[in-house]
Amino acid sequence: MEKRSWAEPYKIKMVELLKMTTREEREKAIIEAGFNTFLLKSDDVYIDLLTDSGCGAMSDQQWSAIMLGDESYAGSRNFYHLRDTIEEYYSYKYTVPTHQGRGAENILSQIMIKPGDFVPGNMYFTTTRLHQELAGGTFVDVIIDEAHQVDSHHPFKGNVDFSKLNKLLEEVGAENIPYICIATCVNMAGGQPISMDNLKQLRVWCDQHKIVLVHDMTRVAENAFFIQQREAAYAAKSVKEIVYEICALTDVATMSSKKDAMVNIGGFLAMNDDKLYEKACGLVVVYEGLHTYGGMAGRDMEALAVGIKESVQDEHMHARIGQIEYLGEKLMAAGVPIVQPIGGHAVFLDARKLLPHIPQEQYPAQALSAALYVESGVRSMERGIVSAGRNKETGKNHAPALELVRLTIPRRVYTQAHMDVTAESVIRVMENADKVKGLRFTYEPEVLRFFMGRFEEVG
Ligand code: P71
């Protein structure tokens, strides 16, 4: 059948003007930022693909929800609306709002992890693993090997490898595994989904061993869309139905609602167990705020409730993923090495292949991200050895197989023309790749070093 065009299921009511800069200005800006795109001023950025977090465009419905904010300290009506929406769309009975995803991770880790515990997961995420470690736990990667291979075309690179999971169980015993944390559309693997089949098997495994199944549902709708497209049994189901089914297979959820749910700030911890809820309420008041607002304003909870409903619409997801595929296919056609299959929230450039002359200890992905900024004002994010940090025991760098630069697409923000400009910029950097130099740290923070670390060029 011929491939039909698709279009965004919205039209544009308001625009934000962009600023262009000169190459000289950008060369100065990247040196001032210590070759770290996190330290650039957004005024110096043209197309901002740093992240899809908190920078999506809210709809007119969400903006009008903002005006319905009930800013009462306790028992805001927006909290009850949010709680009911989460139960309706995501199945979880209890909701504890937090200022963003890591607020939920902090509370969960503190409640459930005791020193010496092991927490398996389908690849690490930076803040998730750090909270597990701060609570005394050790993260163990149980994702399938294919997730670490740029060239593998596995349709569900987010899947759990049960041989890895069983090995851990044998080694440490179920009593030292408080939970397994499963991310939908695994960020660090390149926005790669877990299959419903794998998740169902995991549910059985967790029941067998009485281990809690935690769901990092930050990008659950994107995962659901991939299940609809790639898992035959789900071809006729809606994204909304699949999202609900995924959530219903799990016990607890942490959510950064700044992604899928298209609000600028917010998150939550959700669950079905009343004892766990009681404990979470006890901690949320210490770190976030009262249990009926966590870290969120009433208006933001209202906008989130609307965002959740919009995020599971099939036509929204089609356009969302379609835009990322558009950029990815353009890059592939030009021979740019990227992670395949193309991910749900971003296109990931393979810095190892693009800059073969820079050894991993000289941070090729960091260097590539800086070079892309200087070339065109496109801001991307390093997702390689800098993000991976150091082993907490040995102090040695984690050296991940994936040394990537993430071109992350905010939801409903940029047009296809912005994708064209981005692709052309990446291609230009690729053509001049031999001129890109490796980097070394001039300042290395102890934790989450990628945020504030500074670098200089080597040689
Ligand atoms: C992203 C982010 C934001 C971020 C976080 C850390 C370093 C750089 C950028 C945040 C996530 C996420 C997943 C799967 C939990 C969080 C934390 N992602 N789980 O990709 O992707 O949520 O930012 O709301 O605290 O740019 P939070």
Side-chain angles (χ1 to χ4, degrees):
M1 205 177 81
E2 72 174 306
K3 203 172 170 190
R4 297 288 298 266
S5 296
W6 52 270
E8 293 79 6
Y10 53 82
K11 56 185 178 173
I12 296 166
K13 203 192 289 261
M14 189 192 279
V15 298
E16 183 179 337
L17 300 185
L18 297 175
K19 203 182 108 190
M20 309 277 267
T21 49
T22 63
R23 191 179 182 98
E24 287 69 39
E25 285 168 334
R26 292 193 296 273
E27 278 169 354
K28 196 161 156 266
I30 200 71
I31 290 171
E32 275 170 16
F35 292 86
N36 184 349
T37 53
F38 277 105
L39 299 179
L40 288 167
K41 294 188 182 122
S42 67
D43 274 347
D44 293 332
V45 172
Y46 172 38
I47 298 176
D48 202 349
L49 307 183
L50 182 71
T51 178
D52 61 334
S53 182
C55 47
M58 292 210 294
S59 67
D60 53 354
Q61 299 294 318
Q62 285 180 288
W63 279 110
S64 45
I66 289 272
M67 296 307 293
L68 301 177
D70 166 10
E71 307 304 341
S72 310
Y73 188 88
S76 161
R77 95 172 73 86
N78 310 126
F79 166 72
Y80 295 106
H81 182 203
L82 174 62
R83 184 197 65 183
D84 294 347
T85 306
I86 289 170
E87 189 171 7
E88 183 187 343
Y89 284 77
Y90 298 150
S91 83
Y92 307 109
K93 198 164 151 203
Y94 300 111
T95 291
V96 179
T98 56
H99 74 285
Q100 57 184 77
R102 66 198 73 179
E105 291 171 346
N106 174 36
I107 293 172
L108 179 74
S109 302
Q110 289 210 34
I111 297 173
M112 295 197 63
I113 299 172
K114 61 178 184 337
D117 276 351
F118 294 85
V119 188
N122 55 348
M123 205 174 266
Y124 86 101
F125 186 71
T126 52
T127 57
T128 319
R129 184 179 66 192
L130 181 62
H131 279 297
Q132 292 164 359
E133 289 175 352
L134 290 172
T138 301
F139 166 81
V140 182
D141 190 5
V142 295
I143 204 164
I144 57 171
D145 286 342
E146 286 87 340
H148 294 278
Q149 297 158 5
V150 171
D151 294 329
S152 160
H153 288 227
H154 195 294
F156 292 104
K157 283 183 170 180
N159 280 358
V160 167
D161 181 335
F162 284 92
S163 64
K164 293 184 187 175
L165 197 53
N166 286 322
K167 186 165 167 273
L168 177 71
L169 183 73
E170 267 168 40
E171 280 168 13
V172 306
E175 64 283 8
N176 294 312
I177 304 178
Y179 62 84
I180 172 167
C181 180
I182 290 307
T184 31
C185 244
V186 183
N187 193 351
M188 300 302 273
Q192 304 292 327
I194 178 170
S195 73
M196 191 71 89
D197 182 52
N198 191 259
L199 192 60
K200 282 180 183 164
Q201 288 178 46
L202 189 61
R203 176 72 265 169
V204 173
W205 187 92
C206 287
D207 288 341
Q208 246 169 17
H209 303 289
K210 302 208 167 29
I211 290 173
V212 173
L213 179 44
V214 173
H215 175 203
D216 179 341
M217 60 176 298
T218 299
R219 296 184 181 83
V220 65
E222 288 164 7
N223 199 117
F225 182 77
F226 284 130
I227 288 177
Q228 185 192 60
Q229 301 299 307
R230 297 177 189 169
E231 217 167 335
Y234 288 86
K237 293 232 161 127
S238 65
V239 169
K240 183 179 171 203
E241 288 168 320
I242 300 170
V243 164
Y244 189 92
E245 191 172 333
I246 293 171
C247 295
L249 283 167
T250 66
D251 303 305
V252 179
T254 58
M255 171 67 152
S256 168
S257 44
K258 301 168 72 173
K259 283 87 168 170
D260 247 10
M262 293 176 286
V263 287
N264 301 125
I265 193 73
F268 57 79
L269 177 64
M271 67 217 81
N272 296 315
D273 184 87
D274 48 0
K275 297 236 162 41
L276 195 67
Y277 177 60
E278 217 176 280
K279 285 189 191 159
C281 289
L283 273 193
V284 74
V285 292
V286 181
Y287 293 103
E288 305 278 326
L290 194 73
H291 65 290
T292 55
Y293 75 88
M296 295 181 73
R299 55 179 169 271
D300 290 332
M301 290 192 278
E302 195 61 27
L304 171 54
V306 177
I308 289 171
K309 293 175 201 179
E310 292 178 2
S311 75
V312 300
Q313 287 168 7
D314 282 62
E315 60 276 21
H316 163 66
M317 282 316 310
H318 189 165
R320 161 82 180 139
I321 307 278
Q323 189 174 40
I324 292 146
E325 277 175 353
Y326 176 86
L327 174 62
E329 280 165 11
K330 234 180 159 122
L331 290 172
M332 285 198 302
V336 178
I338 64 169
V339 174
Q340 295 187 45
I342 296 165
H345 65 305
V347 173
F348 291 73
L349 308 176
D350 184 356
R352 282 179 194 272
K353 284 218 187 90
L354 275 162
L355 304 177
H357 59 292
I358 302 182
Q360 196 174 23
E361 309 82 69
Q362 289 181 13
Y363 314 114
Q366 188 79 24
L368 181 62
S369 178
L372 180 61
Y373 169 73
V374 171
E375 167 59 37
S376 59
V378 172
R379 172 155 69 172
S380 58
M381 189 191 287
E382 193 269 2
R383 297 276 82 169
I385 187 166
V386 178
S387 297
R390 291 178 186 275
N391 181 295
K392 66 173 177 157
E393 249 95 57
T394 65
K396 287 214 174 100
N397 277 326
H398 291 290
L402 300 178
E403 182 68 25
L404 308 174
V405 166
R406 188 179 74 172
L407 301 169
T408 340
I409 315 300
R411 294 162 186 82
R412 308 192 289 207
V413 171
Y414 291 113
T415 65
Q416 250 44 349
H418 291 113
M419 299 300 108
D420 291 342
V421 170
T422 300
E424 283 164 20
S425 310
V426 173
I427 293 162
R428 182 70 72 83
V429 172
M430 179 173 76
E431 285 164 358
N432 295 294
D434 55 330
K435 297 199 185 69
V436 180
K437 293 180 179 152
L439 299 172
R440 65 174 151 246
F441 270 108
T442 57
Y443 164 60
E444 183 182 344
E446 229 170 88
V447 295
L448 302 180
R449 63 182 180 176
F450 51 90
F451 280 132
M452 261 132 46
R454 303 182 69 85
F455 302 81
E456 63 184 10
E457 287 181 321
V458 177

